[in-house]
Amino acid sequence: MQNWKELFRPHILERGRNYYEEGAIVSLDRTDTGYHAEVEGTEDYEVSIEIQDDEITDMYCSCPYADSGNYCKHMAAVLYEIEGGPGDPFEELAERKNERLQAVHDLIERIPEEELKKLMASLICQDEDLYNRLMTQYAPLGPATLSRLKHQIDEIGWKYSDRSGFIDYRNAYEYVGALGAVLYENVPQLLKRNCPKEAFELTNYVFHEIGNREMDDSDGGYTYIGGVCYDNWKKILMAADEEQEKQMIRWFREHRRNYVSEYMEDYLEDFLITEFHDEGLLREQIREVDEKIEKLEQNEAKDNWNYRHLYPASVLQRISLMERLECPKEEIRRYRNNYRQFHEIREAEVKDYLLSKEYDRAEAVLKESKELDKDSPGLVSKYSAKLIEIYDMTGQKEKYKSELIWHIFECGEYGLDNPLKLKAVCSPEEWQELRGKMLVSEKLRTIRCELLDHEELYDRLIQEIRTSGSIDALDRYEKVLKKRFPEEVRDMYVRYVQRAAEGAGQRKAYRDLMGYLKKIRRYPDGREIAEKTATVWKATYKRRPAMMDELRKAGF
């Protein structure tokens, strides 16, 4: 299975890779159905991966995060270990799958035709999805076809929602996947059978289902299905004849309001404007926006939230509509120039100049904006970053270096991107001087450790971490510091667990402490120190049963 990484959220995947690279996989064994592993974490966790026909069919981990039904970092670490081990297990499984497929073909050849039909009929009746897919692909098409598919969609909504019709986070992923599967399995077949009308009706029914369904949309299910429906509409439009196209336009016009929830209506209007180029609708929208702008201008105080946010948003919407109507560029610029008090309008102006490669004009607007919005550090930082980009793109080396220095020391940094860009255009002497200023700047404290690490100033790095007392920083740079200062890093961890144990009161905190004790064991003389610390805790905190339990689980 090549796409196993898609099963994990990005931050979980990253943590899993870190576990794998740090050698947290204690053991990994092949089983009849996949793999079983032991992963070292806050405590040692058991992980099982079940694989069948090149697909992951099930995963288990004994950690609390996975116990809630989530795919955890320990599972990801094991999959990285499997992938990086000798041979490619997924490739082996693919070969086995091909062998099984060939064996099935051979078996089919041996089954008498009548028996094969009976067997297929039995299997199709047992699998609702397979039944619907085959009916769409091969059965005569008529009103019953759409009735059957609509019933399938209704069943999906009923299956994954609660009594009030709400779909919670745990069920949202499968609900969205099921709706997507109906579209992917049936719309192409309907189009292949020259039935764009039925494909359109099915797509609209799914769009209406999700567009009126209340759901915890943390994973973007509305956007996903909205995008699938939009793509389907485009394919259907390509397959439609002139009369069917007219019917589609009529449908979109009639349903662009009050057919789905307001946040889904944009798909309908966008399709009308983008795919049908409905000029009448564009001009109608411009009139509506103009009325909104006039109302905001007349009735709202200048410091009102509506004025500061809805006003520029409405102006930008108006400009977008003018662009879709293909109004002359100068007309759009004149209109935009009336609202340059809003930073959003100036940002759009810069974007316009950059697209037309009018870099001098873009630079002038950005410099003006730095002054106009000097009381908004976030905006000023954004303008400066855009100037850096322009100077780099146009080869203005001195301006590029000067703006980099200004941005670093005036705006602050959250990473080393700009400092390293500056280093690349400085002489060694210039860089050493600028680096020294960065390392004492309070505004740049957030990148101090990262810069010390990059510059390999490890003596100062460990001193910085010791002064700050940050356990997170110590964890982050442990790998490089451990090689050079093993005893000092060990002692910093010892001091941390001794302090942390005094205030710990929950099981999670005790688990974290056990993780650090295990970490200490891997340092010189660390096993004796960890055992001694655990012995002291047993005597000092004997009235903390959860802590005693975690000590026992961790092997102390």
Side-chain angles (χ1 to χ4, degrees), residues 1-8 54-56 83 90:
M1 178 178 169
Q2 300 303 316
N3 298 323
W4 62 266
K5 294 174 185 174
E6 296 176 1
L7 299 173
F8 296 87
D54 198 23
E55 295 286 340
I56 293 175
E83 189 177 60
F90 295 126

Side-chain angles (χ1 to χ4, degrees), residues 242-269:
E242 188 175 344
E243 181 57 35
Q244 288 167 337
E245 182 175 337
K246 289 179 181 177
Q247 291 174 2
M248 287 181 70
I249 293 175
R250 193 179 307 118
W251 184 89
F252 276 100
R253 284 177 175 165
E254 291 173 355
H255 292 83
R256 69 187 183 93
R257 292 282 186 269
N258 304 318
Y259 180 66
V260 289
S261 299
E262 190 174 343
Y263 48 82
M264 295 289 282
E265 287 178 349
D266 286 347
Y267 288 99
L268 303 175
E269 289 209 348

Side-chain angles (χ1 to χ4, degrees), residues 242-365:
E242 188 175 344
E243 181 57 35
Q244 288 167 337
E245 182 175 337
K246 289 179 181 177
Q247 291 174 2
M248 287 181 70
I249 293 175
R250 193 179 307 118
W251 184 89
F252 276 100
R253 284 177 175 165
E254 291 173 355
H255 292 83
R256 69 187 183 93
R257 292 282 186 269
N258 304 318
Y259 180 66
V260 289
S261 299
E262 190 174 343
Y263 48 82
M264 295 289 282
E265 287 178 349
D266 286 347
Y267 288 99
L268 303 175
E269 289 209 348
D270 283 350
F271 199 86
L272 264 173
I273 293 168
T274 305
E275 307 303 329
F276 291 120
H277 310 289
D278 193 324
E279 185 175 329
L281 177 61
L282 282 171
R283 296 199 179 280
E284 179 187 331
Q285 288 184 309
I286 283 180
R287 285 194 296 274
E288 290 175 1
V289 172
D290 284 344
E291 289 173 6
K292 188 191 300 183
I293 291 172
E294 185 178 355
K295 192 173 181 180
L296 286 163
E297 176 65 36
Q298 291 176 352
N299 299 332
E300 299 295 346
K302 297 298 185 279
D303 59 350
N304 184 282
W305 186 93
N306 281 350
Y307 183 86
R308 284 294 311 132
H309 296 276
L310 294 185
Y311 198 159
S314 299
V315 172
L316 288 173
Q317 185 183 2
R318 217 276 191 183
I319 291 171
S320 174
L321 293 168
M322 292 172 74
E323 289 171 343
R324 290 184 174 188
L325 270 175
E326 299 181 355
C327 294
K329 184 169 287 189
E330 284 307 313
E331 180 186 340
I332 295 173
R333 287 185 176 180
R334 283 196 303 272
Y335 177 82
R336 186 176 58 211
N337 201 49
N338 295 325
Y339 302 96
R340 297 185 72 258
Q341 71 269 33
F342 298 114
H343 69 84
E344 295 93 339
I345 308 305
R346 280 180 270 115
E347 288 170 15
E349 188 177 18
V350 169
K351 185 177 179 181
D352 181 39
Y353 287 142
L354 291 177
L355 285 172
S356 58
K357 298 185 178 180
E358 298 175 81
Y359 299 119
D360 290 345
R361 286 188 170 188
E363 179 186 357
V365 175

Side-chain angles (χ1 to χ4, degrees), residues 33 48-52 55-60 71 75:
T33 55
S48 296
I49 311 286
E50 304 292 320
I51 304 172
Q52 183 176 359
E55 295 286 340
I56 293 175
T57 57
D58 194 19
M59 289 192 284
Y60 164 81
Y71 292 140
M75 297 169 180

Side-chain angles (χ1 to χ4, degrees), residues 431-443:
W431 171 244
Q432 192 166 358
E433 180 183 351
L434 289 166
R435 185 187 69 186
K437 291 179 179 178
M438 290 182 209
L439 290 173
V440 296
S441 169
E442 281 302 308
K443 191 169 281 189

Side-chain angles (χ1 to χ4, degrees), residues 132-183:
N132 282 314
R133 190 162 68 248
L134 292 176
M135 288 292 287
T136 303
Q137 190 167 355
Y138 297 109
L141 295 176
T145 304
L146 276 175
S147 178
R148 172 176 48 77
L149 291 172
K150 289 178 180 179
H151 177 70
Q152 184 182 0
I153 294 162
D154 293 339
E155 287 288 310
I156 290 169
W158 177 84
K159 178 180 179 181
Y160 293 107
S161 61
D162 61 19
R163 291 181 180 179
S164 65
F166 178 77
I167 296 177
D168 62 25
Y169 175 75
R170 291 171 297 176
N171 290 308
Y173 181 83
E174 291 188 14
Y175 165 72
V176 168
L179 287 182
V182 172
L183 292 174

Side-chain angles (χ1 to χ4, degrees), residues 14 39 45 71 90 110 121 123 130 191 205 247 310 340 368 423 471 539:
E14 183 180 356
V39 182
Y45 297 111
Y71 292 140
F90 295 126
R110 297 172 179 271
L123 292 173
L130 178 61
L191 291 176
Y205 200 80
Q247 291 174 2
L310 294 185
R340 297 185 72 258
E368 176 193 11
K423 181 178 181 179
I471 191 65

